[in-house]
């Protein structure tokens, strides 16, 4: 059991309002990812759910019970911190055992739980080391181990992979996803890396300035962003916005086209442009194209794209892949599939 | 500073100051060593006769030596215990977000700036005096007999005075150590179900072990040579009840004019200090590594 419901929660630091009234329902067993730009309140909300920050107003319910004022340890949640927050003078074994000892679990049971967690996380050989003698990825796993032995009703992760290098991050991403599949426990995962969000999440909540712009599955957000902010935040490289004045829909202020939805032609198309820098990634290439109105758009092309710097090309996009936004940045419905 | 060249350079730069310090230390040490083997009394002029270990024999077999040896030990351990425990408590209090804590922190440091003689006099005349002292007034107000601190519990009184002086030092070092504790560790412990006591014993205290070690080592060096507080308050008495080794050497060489005996005592004190230093480094020095 691990459903979490936020009802009109807000957070002020002194006079500064950081979280605006916010509603969110997290289902049991769900992997939900909070994404958003830096400083938008993701960590703050996560810490409020954990009980490390007071809630200014509104309610937090865990498994249908009001937990707004429950102390952190009683909420049955486990958190993995960005800095790992391991206890530096304790061995890995004692780090993992710490929450169990506090809960007065019998030594035999502690031993078996540690052995089990160590097996899942490949830590068996490191149990007697101190955290300082471990690599970043191993420390990360110890932090996760300390969380899973408590069998919490939900895991909270605050940017757990941001201190790891790129290849290790990909591995740990998979490991955490696998852990979620095998434990089937609710996980709330904060990140500002939208690739992590897209690949791991059951649902994504996109934050901006203390509010949730949109909640939905990764594909929903990709295909039907409710506004320009979500459209620009989800997808990599980000969506191109082209200002228009004479669109079929009078309200339209700008069009949004993802780099992968452009069609390149050498003789005709909607927009004429000049190829700038080309980034060759092997499997694909990204062209930076300057179009007539002076703006630069990113276009995804094949890996063996023959174009060169300075070439003139024509771009167009299939009508059903074009997103339309009005002057408030909201998506104009029925404009995109 | 890892290349051979930079290390050589560093040694050469250090050389003059090392020589200076060594000379500063070696010359008096050698003179003391020399005096400790001769019969040298300021009241008896004439040839200084070589007497071998006689001065040492007198000093070490003097019953006052044993008493002052243990007094030194009690003084050092007593003050260490009070300043470390009190210092940790004070540091935790000062770490709380209280109103005007910057001023409180400066105030707390104040006793450290008061000269030992002055603070001992303040304690002797204004606080512990059996007639006029604040404690005496307090005892009378409670209907109790005032305690004559320096007559009834001389060593304990000195321990209190010295602790009062060293508490700020310990508290300040420990406060900076507490402030360097990663708050997320405490939050993680919160989530792990640790109460205030578990958090203190399993997280704060181990984190402080280095700072505590530093405080113990530094304080021990100074506490072995406490002198002014004793001179000003009890003059080592009654009897030898509050005499430590430092004070005993002073009585030997300056009150009894026996420079030879005093020097022998000085050498003994140096040896004791070194034994304590080695003992401490063995015991807790590993906390400072890594
Ligand atoms: N203790 C605090 N006191 C005052 N303001 C705070 C405090 N903690 C956070 N804030 C403010 O709240 C806002 C949200 O912070 P938060 O840490 O939740 O951002 P975030 O979304 O996690 O950003 P990042 O991706 O950089 O971690 C920020 O503007 C920050 O300055
Ligand atoms: Mg954050």
């Amino acid at each position: 059991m691990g459903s979490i419901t936020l009802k009109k929660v807000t957070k002020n630091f002194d006079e500064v309002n950081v979280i605006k009234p916010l509603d969110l329902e997290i289902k049991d067993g769900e992997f939900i990812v909070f994404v958003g730009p830096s400083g938008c309140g993701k960590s703050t909300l996560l810490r409020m759910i954990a009980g490390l920050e007071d809630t200014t107003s509104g309610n937090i319910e865990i498994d249908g019970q009001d937990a707004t004022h429950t102390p952190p340890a009683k909420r049955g949640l486990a958190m993995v911190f960005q800095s790992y927050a391991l206890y530096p003078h304790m061995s890995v074994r004692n780090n993992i055992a710490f929450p169990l000892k506090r809960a007065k679990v019998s030594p035999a049971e502690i031993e078996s739980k540690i052995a089990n967690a160590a097996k899942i996380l490949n830590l068996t050989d490191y149990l007697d080391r101190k955290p300082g003698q471990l690599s970043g990825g191993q420390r990360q796993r110890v932090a996760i181990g300390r969380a899973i032995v408590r069998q919490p009703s939900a895991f909270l992760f605050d940017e757990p992979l941001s201190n790891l290098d790129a290849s290790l991050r990909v591995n740990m991403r998979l490991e955490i996803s696998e852990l979620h599949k095998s434990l089937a426990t609710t996980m709330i995962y904060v990140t500002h890396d939208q690739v992590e969000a897209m690949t791991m999440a059951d649902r994504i909540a996109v934050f901006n300035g203390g509010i949730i712009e949109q909640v939905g599955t990764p594909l929903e957000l990709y295909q039907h962003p409710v506004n320009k902010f979500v459209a620009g935040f989800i997808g990599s490289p980000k969506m191109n916005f082209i200002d228009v004045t004479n669109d079929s829909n009078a309200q339209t202020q700008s069009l949004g086209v993802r780099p992968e939805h452009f069609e390149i032609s050498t003789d005709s198309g909607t927009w004429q442009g000049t190829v700038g820098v080309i980034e060759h990634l092997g499997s694909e290439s990204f062209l930076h194209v300057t179009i007539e109105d002076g703006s630069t758009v990113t276009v995804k092309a094949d890996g063996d794209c023959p174009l060169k710097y300075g070439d003139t090309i024509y771009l167009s996009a299939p009508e059903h892949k074009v997103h339309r936004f009005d002057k408030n940045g909201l998506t104009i419905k029925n404009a995109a599939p | 500073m890892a290349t051979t060249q930079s290390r050589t350079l560093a040694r050469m730069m250090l050389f003059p100051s090392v020589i200076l310090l060594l000379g500063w230390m070696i010359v008096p040490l050698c003179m003391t060593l020399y005096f400790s083997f001769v019969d040298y009394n300021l009241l008896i002029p004439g040839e200084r006769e070589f007497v071998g270990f006689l001065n040492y024999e007198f000093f070490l077999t003097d019953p006052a030596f044993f008493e002052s040896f243990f007094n030194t030990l009690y003084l050092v351990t007593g003050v260490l215990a009070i300043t470390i425990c009190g210092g940790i408590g004070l540091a935790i209090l000062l770490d709380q977000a209280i109103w005007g804590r910057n001023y409180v922190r400066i105030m707390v440091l104040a006793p450290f700036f008061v000269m030992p003689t002055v603070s001992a006099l303040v304690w002797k005349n204004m606080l512990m005096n059996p007639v006029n002292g604040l404690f005496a007034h307090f005892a009378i107000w409670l209907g109790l007999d005032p305690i004559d601190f320096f007559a009834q519990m001389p060593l304990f009184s000195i321990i209190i005075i010295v602790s009062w002086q060293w508490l700020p030092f310990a508290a300040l070092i420990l406060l900076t150590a507490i402030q360097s504790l990663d708050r997320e560790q405490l939050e993680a412990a919160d989530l792990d179900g640790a109460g205030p006591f578990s958090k203190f014993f399993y997280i704060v205290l181990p984190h402080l072990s280095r700072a505590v070690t530093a405080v113990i080592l530094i304080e021990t060096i100074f506490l072995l040579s406490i002198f002014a507080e004793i001179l000003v308050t009890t003059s080592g008495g009654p009897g030898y009840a509050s005499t430590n080794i430092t004070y005993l050497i002073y009585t030997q060489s300056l009150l009894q004019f026996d420079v030879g005996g005093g020097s022998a005592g000085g050498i003994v004190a140096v040896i004791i200090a070194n034994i304590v230093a080695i003992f401490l480094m063995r015991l807790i020095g590993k906390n400072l590594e890594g």
Side-chain angles (χ1 to χ4, degrees):
Chain A
M1 284 300 283
S3 66
I4 296 170
T5 311
L6 308 179
K7 290 185 175 163
K8 299 251 172 310
V9 293
T10 64
K11 175 73 189 176
N12 291 2
F13 283 112
D14 299 321
E15 293 306 300
V16 187
N17 178 249
V18 174
I19 304 279
K20 312 237 161 57
L22 178 152
D23 289 286
L24 181 64
E25 215 164 299
I26 299 164
K27 294 191 270 299
D28 184 28
E30 185 172 40
F31 196 123
I32 188 160
V33 174
F34 293 175
V35 284
S38 193
C40 64
K42 310 175 298 279
S43 300
T44 306
L45 186 64
L46 195 73
R47 291 165 55 80
M48 285 160 70
I49 295 172
L52 298 173
E53 296 283 358
D54 292 328
T55 307
T56 306
S57 72
N59 290 76
I60 297 172
E61 285 178 9
I62 299 173
D63 290 333
Q65 305 274 321
D66 184 18
T68 318
H69 302 290
T70 314
K74 299 260 157 57
R75 299 192 182 196
L77 309 175
M79 182 153 169
V80 176
F81 293 84
Q82 183 173 3
S83 69
Y84 314 138
L86 299 177
Y87 310 127
H89 45 270
M90 292 184 204
S91 65
V92 170
R93 182 189 304 280
N94 286 334
N95 261 285
I96 298 177
F98 189 75
L100 298 174
K101 284 183 184 159
R102 299 288 79 71
K104 308 250 182 311
V105 177
S106 73
E109 200 177 333
I110 290 180
E111 208 43 51
S112 80
K113 282 191 170 175
I114 292 176
N116 195 22
K119 208 175 77 209
I120 295 175
L121 296 166
N122 280 327
L123 285 171
T124 313
D125 295 339
Y126 307 107
L127 280 178
D128 294 313
R129 292 212 200 163
K130 295 268 172 70
Q133 301 163 316
L134 299 178
S135 72
Q138 290 162 344
R139 278 180 223 182
Q140 182 63 67
R141 281 199 280 263
V142 177
I144 295 174
R146 192 172 65 184
I148 61 176
V149 288
R150 292 172 52 202
Q151 295 173 315
S153 54
F155 289 96
L156 314 177
F157 293 93
D158 191 355
E159 308 202 19
L161 307 185
S162 55
N163 288 342
L164 304 180
D165 70 50
S167 66
L168 198 54
R169 208 178 303 170
V170 175
N171 281 341
M172 285 306 294
R173 210 161 76 193
L174 279 175
E175 281 185 35
I176 293 177
S177 291
E178 257 166 39
L179 199 66
H180 177 246
K181 293 278 176 297
S182 64
L183 298 175
T185 311
T186 313
M187 290 189 178
I188 306 177
Y189 188 103
V190 169
T191 178
H192 55 232
D193 177 351
Q194 60 92 28
V195 178
E196 265 173 42
M198 293 297 278
T199 51
M200 300 170 84
D202 292 332
R203 282 199 304 158
I204 298 177
V206 182
F207 281 68
N208 186 23
I211 60 163
I212 296 183
E213 298 274 5
Q214 189 175 2
V215 187
T217 64
L219 270 189
E220 263 167 34
L221 297 191
Y222 179 81
Q223 290 170 342
H224 308 289
V226 294
N227 58 28
K228 223 170 149 177
F229 178 83
V230 177
F233 201 82
I234 300 293
S236 168
K238 68 196 285 268
M239 184 186 276
N240 301 294
F241 298 107
I242 303 166
D243 289 343
V244 290
T245 45
N246 55 346
D247 189 60
S248 56
N249 188 325
Q251 286 177 305
T252 309
Q253 209 216 13
S254 62
L255 301 178
V257 183
R258 294 196 183 279
E260 54 272 39
H261 296 150
F262 275 120
E263 283 160 4
I264 303 169
S265 154
T266 46
D267 42 28
S268 70
T270 321
W271 300 281
Q272 188 195 6
T274 316
V275 178
V277 174
I278 305 177
E279 295 171 320
H280 292 286
L281 300 182
S283 62
E284 62 211 12
S285 310
F286 291 107
L287 318 178
H288 296 267
V289 180
T290 310
I291 56 174
E292 294 127 328
D293 69 359
S295 60
T296 304
V297 296
T298 312
V299 179
K300 184 181 162 186
D302 292 338
D304 50 4
C305 165
L307 293 167
K308 295 190 308 294
Y309 183 89
D311 285 354
T312 299
I313 56 166
Y314 293 88
L315 301 171
S316 49
E319 186 56 25
H320 67 282
K321 298 282 192 193
V322 175
H323 300 258
R324 289 189 159 75
F325 304 98
D326 67 15
K327 61 181 190 304
N328 296 323
L330 295 178
T331 303
I332 298 169
K333 293 279 183 313
N334 305 328
Chain B
M1 295 289 275
T3 63
T4 320
Q5 196 195 2
S6 65
R7 250 179 277 139
T8 317
L9 190 67
R11 282 202 197 115
M12 275 162 58
M13 307 279 253
L14 276 173
F15 190 65
S17 51
V18 170
I19 289 295
L20 195 71
L21 281 175
L22 209 65
W24 217 262
M25 193 188 79
I26 287 289
V27 173
L29 188 69
C30 289
M31 284 178 70
T32 312
L33 255 178
Y34 164 69
F35 287 144
S36 71
F37 288 107
V38 296
D39 180 11
Y40 180 16
N41 195 309
L42 293 175
L43 294 182
I44 308 167
E47 274 302 296
R48 295 175 197 165
E49 220 178 296
F50 182 78
V51 292
F53 282 94
L54 202 64
N55 282 327
Y56 289 92
E57 208 181 310
F58 274 118
F59 189 82
L60 289 175
T61 52
D62 187 348
F65 168 73
F66 288 100
E67 200 171 347
S68 53
F69 176 78
F70 285 109
N71 283 344
T72 310
L73 229 55
Y74 295 143
L75 186 62
V76 172
T77 47
V79 174
L80 279 179
I82 293 175
T83 53
I84 299 284
C85 295
I88 290 176
L90 210 56
I92 289 174
L93 283 181
L94 289 175
D95 187 43
Q96 309 297 318
I98 49 168
W99 182 82
R101 70 173 165 183
N102 288 340
Y103 298 101
V104 175
R105 281 179 193 168
I106 293 172
M107 297 296 288
V108 163
L109 197 62
F112 202 54
F113 291 115
V114 180
M115 279 170 282
T117 34
V118 176
S119 75
L121 280 174
V122 168
W123 277 84
K124 182 185 181 183
N125 295 327
M126 298 179 71
L127 296 173
M128 289 177 159
N129 187 297
V131 182
N132 297 320
L134 211 60
F135 296 156
H137 282 299
F138 191 64
I140 292 168
W141 182 72
L142 283 176
L144 302 170
D145 276 340
I147 304 168
D148 186 355
F149 283 95
F150 296 111
Q152 290 169 1
M153 41 180 87
L155 191 62
F156 177 76
S157 306
I158 288 170
I159 289 178
I160 295 294
I161 295 173
V162 177
S163 299
W164 181 77
Q165 287 172 346
W166 281 92
L167 194 57
F169 171 78
L172 210 71
I173 301 257
L174 295 169
L175 175 65
T176 49
I178 283 189
Q179 285 173 330
S180 73
L181 175 60
D182 178 12
R183 300 285 134 163
E184 287 198 342
Q185 274 179 42
L186 290 176
E187 292 178 345
D190 261 336
L191 282 164
D192 283 345
F197 288 102
S198 301
K199 269 195 283 186
F200 177 74
F201 284 108
Y202 293 108
I203 299 184
V204 178
L205 213 50
H207 175 76
L208 288 183
S209 64
R210 270 175 152 207
V212 168
T213 309
V215 170
I216 290 179
L217 291 176
I218 293 171
E219 281 195 11
T220 306
I221 294 167
F222 287 93
L223 295 178
L224 281 172
S225 55
I226 289 291
F227 176 74
E229 291 85 343
I230 300 174
L231 181 73
V232 171
T233 54
T234 62
S235 300
Y240 287 103
S242 59
T243 299
N244 66 354
I245 301 258
T246 317
Y247 197 82
L248 185 70
I249 294 166
Y250 161 75
T251 45
Q252 286 272 325
S253 48
L254 288 179
L255 297 186
Q256 298 168 16
F257 304 100
D258 181 3
V259 176
S263 298
I267 297 298
V268 170
V270 168
I271 293 169
I272 291 175
N274 276 292
I275 292 173
V276 171
I278 291 168
F279 181 70
L280 279 180
M281 288 310 282
R282 277 281 164 83
L283 201 65
I284 55 176
K286 66 175 187 305
N287 281 348
L288 291 179
E289 284 162 15

